Amino acid sequence: MTERSVLDWLADQPGVVGLGDDCYIVPGPMEDQVFTTDMFIEGVHFKTGQAPEWIGHNALARGLSDIAAMGADPRFCLVSAAFPSDDEAWTRRFFQGLLKLARESGCVLTGGDLSHTDRFVADIMVCGVVPRGLALRRDGAKPGHGVYVSDALGTRARDRFCSLVKPRLDLAQSIRGRASACMDLSDGLSIDLHRLCLASGVSATLSAVPVAPGATEEQALHGGEDYELLIVSPVQIPDTIRIGSIVAGTPGVISYRGTVLEPKGYDHFAT
Ligand SMILES: [Mg+2]
């Protein structure tokens, strides 16, 4: 079982719509709403004993990153969480970390569920809004468009349990109405760009990938958890770094400095 095999099967089932983008888009008369949901699990997304404020921050940050990838602004979130102990101080610190990021992002907490379990797990749904018709999907990349990233890559592949995720909501306004496709880099550049190119039916050639200080080129190309934005645009996007171009060719094929780049990023089920 791979994440892809499950998603491909689900997409073919009756009653399933809208899989494949960072958020599901609900059209409205003035603005569209976008929805995403992400889990945060002890032992998978963080290590037992990490600061609860860090856990709360990063649990919400993953959803906010998906909102940014749509070119949207967050509005509200719902948090369902199960806690392994009745340590109320720990629980409050988790929510303090989450709410600090929510307030900084213009997002309010409007509901959810609390429960008890043997190891911490949370699922956070975030809703955002974007002017009608401007939400960015993965299927709009066209040959000739540039490929951009919002910053150097590889930092969190090196040290994913340390740094706070900074969702790139600061770029949402400048990419909507300009970019042709976008997604956030959660699983690694090589696999995420492969997915975007598959959705758009195009290939890409990369010339230079910016490597974060202390990271390796391998980590920048294939390491996950960057939560920077991967943007395709016919025009230059301010404060981003151009790494290559979209070209016509076999959908999903990425070449890097003349050789094919295998999609080697993170799969939750691969062993
Ligand atoms: Mg995403």
Side-chain angles (χ1 to χ4, degrees):
M1 174 164 112
T2 65
E3 197 176 351
R4 176 56 34 196
S5 69
V6 176
L7 290 175
D8 286 347
W9 176 83
L10 263 180
D12 285 340
Q13 302 305 301
V16 178
V17 292
L19 301 188
D21 288 306
D22 290 276
C23 293
Y24 179 62
I25 305 167
V26 180
M30 299 291 287
E31 50 188 20
D32 298 339
Q33 289 182 311
V34 295
F35 292 89
T36 184
T37 185
D38 284 283
M39 288 203 281
F40 211 69
I41 303 168
E42 182 174 349
V44 178
H45 300 100
F46 70 93
K47 293 187 282 196
T48 304
Q50 287 197 253
E53 294 89 349
W54 183 98
I55 296 166
H57 175 108
N58 277 11
L60 176 62
R62 301 175 70 215
L64 293 175
S65 180
D66 282 329
I67 298 290
M70 303 299 287
D73 299 317
R75 282 293 182 265
F76 68 86
C77 64
L78 301 168
V79 177
S80 293
F83 298 87
S85 84
D86 58 1
D87 182 348
E88 187 168 338
W90 194 99
T91 301
R92 287 185 184 196
R93 289 174 62 194
F94 164 79
F95 278 109
Q96 282 163 350
L98 185 149
L99 287 170
K100 180 170 185 288
L101 176 62
R103 285 189 295 265
E104 290 166 2
S105 308
C107 182
V108 290
L109 170 63
T110 59
D113 189 30
L114 299 178
S115 191
H116 189 264
T117 183
D118 56 356
R119 66 175 184 165
F120 177 90
V121 57
D123 183 76
I124 301 184
M125 194 220 78
V126 188
C127 173
V129 295
V130 58
R132 186 181 177 180
L134 295 189
L136 289 164
R137 303 161 51 116
R138 298 181 182 181
D139 60 1
K142 300 258 187 318
H145 293 179
V147 180
Y148 301 83
V149 290
S150 54
D151 205 348
L153 306 177
T155 310
R156 287 177 48 77
R158 187 171 52 91
D159 198 7
R160 62 184 289 232
F161 294 121
C162 187
S163 56
L164 288 172
V165 170
K166 292 195 179 65
R168 297 308 304 267
L169 293 160
D170 56 315
L171 284 175
Q173 197 176 351
S174 57
I175 56 177
R176 61 187 180 226
R178 277 207 186 108
S180 54
C182 187
M183 66 186 294
D184 69 330
L185 288 166
S186 55
D187 295 340
L189 175 65
S190 63
I191 193 162
D192 286 334
L193 180 57
H194 167 74
R195 289 168 178 156
L196 186 149
C197 285
L198 271 184
S200 293
V202 295
S203 295
T205 60
L206 302 183
S207 49
V209 171
V211 181
T216 65
E217 184 182 55
E218 183 79 6
Q219 288 170 329
L221 288 170
H222 305 294
E225 301 274 326
D226 278 305
Y227 295 104
E228 295 296 336
L229 296 185
L230 173 64
I231 302 156
V232 175
S233 174
V235 295
Q236 173 79 41
I237 303 288
D239 302 319
T240 62
I241 304 161
R242 183 163 182 162
I243 60 170
S245 301
I246 298 295
V247 294
T250 309
V253 173
I254 314 298
S255 75
Y256 178 57
R257 293 180 176 158
T259 58
V260 171
L261 184 69
E262 296 297 332
K264 277 200 292 191
Y266 186 71
D267 186 301
H268 292 273
F269 301 116
T271 47

